Amino acid sequence: MKLDTATPVDRDDLAPGQLEVTKKQVSVGCSQGALILGKVAPAGKSWMDAAAWARGARPSDDLRLGGEAKDLQ
């Protein structure tokens, strides 16, 4: 999954990689704070609003995002 826009927020109630999905937004916990996801592009798909992605994907409550970032250089 690719991320285009994300807004950092100061909250500590989400574990790193933990998703919180509401009707209007998707938040993901980080090691410090969290991010509200804006636009995402699932593998092989076009860019879409993160809330629209979550409505279609219906991620399970135990899904965690994460892994090592690839070298972008």
Side-chain angles (χ1 to χ4, degrees):
M1 175 181 288
K2 297 181 211 173
L3 303 178
D4 181 32
T5 57
T7 304
V9 291
D10 185 23
R11 57 185 288 189
D12 60 4
D13 59 325
L14 294 174
Q18 181 181 1
L19 291 176
E20 177 186 70
V21 178
T22 67
K23 288 183 180 183
K24 296 186 179 187
Q25 70 184 27
V26 177
S27 301
V28 61
C30 300
S31 62
Q32 294 181 0
L35 293 173
I36 297 173
L37 304 183
K39 299 285 183 186
V40 301
K45 303 283 184 172
S46 300
W47 290 102
M48 64 182 74
D49 182 76
W53 163 78
R55 283 191 297 275
R58 297 182 182 163
S60 64
D61 290 339
D62 62 346
L63 176 69
R64 296 288 185 266
L65 298 182
E68 293 298 317
K70 292 182 180 179
D71 185 5
L72 298 176
Q73 297 180 0

